[in-house]
Amino acid sequence: MTKTYEGGAPLAEVVRSGFVEGAHRGSVVVLDATGVAVASAGDVTSPIFPRSASKPMQAIGMLRAGLPLTDPADVALVSASHAGEDFHLARVDALLQRAGLDASALHCPPDLPVGVAAREAVLRAGGGPTRVQMNCSGKHSGMLLTCEAAGWPLEGYWRPEHPLQQRLRSAIEEFTGEQAAAVGVDGCGAPVLAVSLTGLAGAFLRLVDAEPGTVPRTVSDAMRAYPEIVGGTQADDTRLMRGVPGLLAKVGAEGVIAVALPGVGAVALKIDDGADRARMPVLVSALRRLGVDAPVLTEYAEVPLFGGGVPVGAVRPLW
C-alpha cells in the first residue's frame, strides 16, 4: 500500500492591515552539500507529485535514450515550463520541424501561454489556445524527437508503458534514489511520478554535482545558462537562476519548487494548497538556512498584499 502524504506544517502567514487572516501549510526539506537533511518541516519522506520539477530528470532520460540535441538552449527547452513568449514558441516549432513534424503530433493539450504578457498578447491579436503555446510543449517535442532517434513509435509516446516513459521513469528513480510510489497523469498528459521531497532535493543536488561533460551536468548547465528558456522573462525560477550564480531551480504546479547550489546544498518544498504566493517566501527562508543570500531573495522574502491598489500587508514565512 502506498504511503500517503500526511500534509505539512504552517509555513507562511497572510497578514493584512496588521491582522493575520490566514496561513499556508506545507512541507520543506533543506539538504547540506553532502546531501544530509539539516532542516525540515512537515512530511518530507512521503511521496508527492513534483509535477514539472521532474523535468530535469526527464530530460536526462531523453538524452540518454538518444535525443539528438547539441544546442544547450534546446536542452533547456525540453526541461522547461515555458511562458509562451515568442522566442519559446519559435524554438518549439524549430524542434518539431527538425523531425518533420508539426504541432498535431504533440499530445499536450491546446492552451494559452502561462505568461501573463504573452497570454494577453495572444488574446489581443484574436488568437486562442494552441498546443505549442502549452507550457510543456518543449518537453513533448523532446519526447517526440527521442522516439524518432530511438526507433520507437510516436503513437502513444505519453503512455506509462511506452519505452520512452520507461526510460524517463528509470532516470527519475535513479536520481531521487526512490522507486516511484504512484504514477499519475500530469496536466500536459504525460506521466508524473510520486517521490518524496527529500528524494527530489537529492536529485537536484546530484544534477549540479555531476561531473562536467556527463548528461546530468549537461542538463543542469543548460538550464542555468538559459534560464529565460526554462521559465520565461519574469518566471520565478528564471529570476532565481539569474540572481543567484550557479543555482539550479525548477518550479512545479501545486506549490512545488526544487533548487540546488553546488557546494552549498538543496531545497525542495510543497505548499499544500498549491498557492504560488507562499512558495517563494518559504524558499527564501530555507535558502538562508544554508547561508545563501542575494538581492533577488530579498525581493522574494515577502509577497505584498494590496488593498485599494496600495500595499497593505504581505505573505511572509513562519518557518
Side-chain angles (χ1 to χ4, degrees):
M1 184 175 179
T2 302
K3 185 179 179 183
T4 302
Y5 176 62
E6 297 177 357
L11 295 182
E13 62 181 1
V14 182
V15 182
R16 181 179 297 274
S17 304
F19 179 82
V20 178
E21 67 171 346
H24 294 283
R25 303 176 68 90
S27 299
V28 54
V29 63
V30 181
L31 308 183
D32 67 14
T34 69
V36 173
V38 293
S40 67
D43 182 1
V44 300
T45 60
S46 298
I48 57 103
F49 283 139
R51 305 297 296 271
S52 286
S54 299
K55 284 178 178 174
M57 287 81 77
Q58 291 173 313
I60 290 170
M62 289 185 237
L63 290 170
R64 285 178 170 176
L67 176 60
L69 297 182
T70 57
D71 186 342
D74 287 334
V75 176
L77 182 68
V78 302
S79 311
S81 299
H82 65 72
E85 296 169 84
D86 288 345
F87 63 92
H88 294 126
L89 307 185
R91 192 166 286 274
V92 172
D93 283 335
L95 279 183
L96 291 171
Q97 290 171 14
R98 186 183 309 176
L101 301 171
D102 59 30
S104 65
L106 297 170
H107 180 65
C108 55
D111 203 354
L112 290 168
V114 296
V116 174
R119 182 170 63 249
E120 291 178 348
V122 169
L123 295 174
R124 281 197 304 271
T130 68
R131 295 184 189 276
V132 172
Q133 289 174 160
M134 200 273 168
N135 72 94
C136 297
S137 64
K139 178 181 77 173
H140 279 257
S141 297
M143 289 178 175
L144 287 166
L145 268 67
T146 303
C147 289
E148 285 210 334
W152 295 326
L154 302 187
E155 177 62 31
Y157 73 87
W158 60 88
R159 301 190 187 282
E161 64 272 16
H162 192 283
L164 168 71
Q165 299 301 336
Q166 290 296 306
R167 291 292 189 93
L168 305 194
R169 176 172 181 156
S170 294
I172 290 172
E173 291 181 336
E174 174 188 344
F175 281 88
T176 61
E178 299 176 1
Q179 288 192 332
V183 181
V185 180
D186 212 338
C188 66
V192 59
L193 307 182
V195 295
S196 73
L197 287 169
T198 300
L200 181 63
F204 271 62
L205 195 58
R206 293 181 184 97
L207 262 67
V208 297
D209 284 345
E211 289 295 321
T214 62
V215 172
R217 185 64 175 271
T218 295
V219 171
S220 61
D221 284 352
M223 292 175 67
R224 290 177 288 182
Y226 294 94
E228 287 82 5
I229 291 179
V230 173
T233 306
Q234 296 300 320
D236 290 341
D237 40 13
T238 295
R239 296 188 64 221
L240 282 170
M241 288 189 281
R242 280 202 308 244
V244 183
L247 186 78
L248 175 67
K250 185 69 190 73
V251 300
E254 296 299 322
V256 174
I257 190 168
V259 306
L261 191 61
V264 177
V267 177
L269 68 88
K270 173 178 173 58
I271 304 301
D272 288 353
D273 62 10
D276 291 348
R277 67 180 185 177
R279 178 166 55 192
M280 297 304 290
V282 176
L283 176 66
V284 170
S285 177
L287 283 171
R288 285 177 171 168
R289 290 167 185 258
L290 290 171
V292 180
D293 208 352
V296 69
L297 299 187
T298 300
E299 294 175 30
Y300 276 123
E302 294 186 352
V303 173
L305 296 178
F306 293 87
V310 298
V312 296
V315 180
R316 61 192 188 193
L318 287 170
W319 182 78

